[in-house]
Amino acid sequence: MINSPHSEHQIKSVTNFKELLSIPFQGNVNALCWTRELKGDFSEIVKKVALSGNMIELLPEELLDLQLSKQGQIAREILLNDYKTLQNNGKSPTLNIIKNYERDDAFPFFPTDVYSFHIDRSPIPADTFLCTYHGASSAILPNSQGTQKILIPEIRAELKKLYGEESEAGFESFLSEFFFDLHYQAKPNAQPINLGIGHLWKLAIDHPESKVLPCLHRAPEEKNGEHRLMMIC
C-alpha cells in the first residue's frame, strides 16, 4: 500500500485507533496510517443512498435506517464505530458519498479546488483524519516533491496582475484570503502516494503550534459511474 521510497520518512504506521489519535507528529513525519483490511460490503451502502447532487452527507441515523444484507450490516458497523470513536475524541467527522467535488473555474490558470495538491490550515491545533471506504482514494505528496505555486515565477506574475496593486503586504494578504498560498504543484517525476481503501489516516495541517510541515494531499479524479464513500474530519 505504501510503496514510495519517500514514505518511510513521511509516514508512520500505527496498529490501532488509540495510537492514531495519540501519537504526535515529529521530525519529517507528517502522516500517520492505520492500515486495515476491512470486511463488509461498502458498495451496497453507496448503492442504497439516492444522490441528487454531487455529494451528500450520510448521518448515523440515516445509515441505521438502511435495509442491508449481512455484508452491508458489517460495513455499517465499521462506519458507525469509526464515526463514534472520532466523535468521542473531540473530532467532528462527516461521512460523505461523493459523485464529484465542485471545480474551481474562477481562476482558470490557478484552480483552488481539492483536486489540486494543497494543505489544510487552522488557527488552532488540529489534524485532518480521513478514510476512503469505497471508490477512488486520495493521495499525498512528499513535501520535497512539491513547490508552493505562489513561488513559481510565471504563476506569481499572473497573480500580481490579478491583484492589480503595488502593495506587497496587500498582495500577501490577497494570496491568503483567496487560498492561493495553500496550493502546490508536483515537481517533475514526483511520486504521489495513494492512500488506499479502508486505511485510516491522520495528516498534519498548518497551525500556529505545529512542529512539522503540513501534509500535501489532494482528492482523486473520480472513477466514471463509481461514487466514493469517505469519512473526513
Side-chain angles (χ1 to χ4, degrees):
M1 187 271 299
I2 302 172
N3 55 15
S4 166
H6 298 267
S7 62
E8 63 182 281
H9 306 298
Q10 179 184 13
I11 300 170
K12 180 178 178 64
S13 295
V14 299
T15 59
N16 54 57
F17 236 132
K18 182 179 179 180
E19 290 181 349
L20 187 73
L21 290 162
S22 63
I23 293 177
F25 297 116
Q26 57 183 352
N28 293 324
V29 175
N30 62 7
L32 267 62
C33 176
W34 178 19
T35 302
R36 308 185 297 180
E37 296 295 332
L38 300 182
K39 297 180 180 180
D41 186 356
F42 293 91
S43 67
E44 181 183 358
I45 293 172
V46 173
K47 293 171 185 175
K48 289 277 186 175
V49 178
L51 190 63
S52 57
N54 293 335
M55 179 170 63
I56 189 172
E57 180 179 354
L58 184 59
L59 299 174
E61 53 268 31
E62 296 170 327
L63 191 56
L64 286 167
D65 285 340
L66 297 178
Q67 297 297 313
L68 301 171
S69 68
K70 183 176 180 179
Q71 288 302 309
Q73 292 174 40
I74 292 172
R76 174 167 59 192
E77 286 305 309
I78 291 171
L79 292 172
L80 290 171
N81 183 66
D82 284 355
Y83 191 101
K84 183 178 179 180
T85 303
L86 287 166
Q87 196 172 58
N88 288 346
N89 283 275
K91 314 304 177 185
S92 300
T94 58
L95 180 63
N96 294 321
I97 297 178
I98 306 161
K99 178 182 179 182
N100 61 271
Y101 290 105
E102 293 292 335
R103 291 283 189 171
D104 175 24
D105 57 5
F107 308 105
F109 75 96
F110 195 144
T112 55
D113 53 49
V114 295
Y115 295 103
S116 164
F117 277 115
H118 63 281
I119 62 171
D120 295 332
R121 177 176 292 156
S122 170
I124 60 174
D127 306 301
T128 293
F129 291 81
L130 61 87
C131 179
T132 300
Y133 302 91
H134 177 75
S137 59
S138 304
I140 61 176
L141 185 70
N143 293 76
S144 62
Q145 296 184 18
T147 301
Q148 193 177 21
K149 285 187 175 182
I150 62 172
L151 299 181
I152 298 173
E154 55 268 30
I155 292 178
R156 193 172 184 87
E158 288 297 321
L159 288 169
K160 284 192 172 182
K161 290 180 185 177
L162 184 64
Y163 177 59
E165 297 181 27
E166 294 298 325
S167 169
E168 191 63 29
F171 178 60
E172 294 299 329
S173 296
F174 163 77
L175 295 177
S176 178
E177 179 182 353
F178 288 93
F179 311 111
F180 293 120
D181 61 330
L182 300 183
H183 290 262
Y184 289 72
Q185 181 168 295
K187 295 179 180 179
N189 302 317
Q191 295 180 309
I193 302 163
N194 187 286
L195 300 191
I197 299 297
H199 312 308
L200 189 55
W201 290 80
K202 180 170 78 172
L203 308 181
I205 74 174
D206 181 33
H207 64 78
E209 298 180 25
S210 179
K211 297 180 180 179
V212 300
L213 292 173
C215 187
L216 313 184
H217 60 285
R218 72 177 177 193
E221 295 283 348
E222 291 83 4
K223 299 175 182 177
N224 187 34
E226 182 180 66
H227 298 165
R228 300 177 67 206
L229 179 61
M230 176 185 180
M231 191 174 298
I232 188 167
C233 59

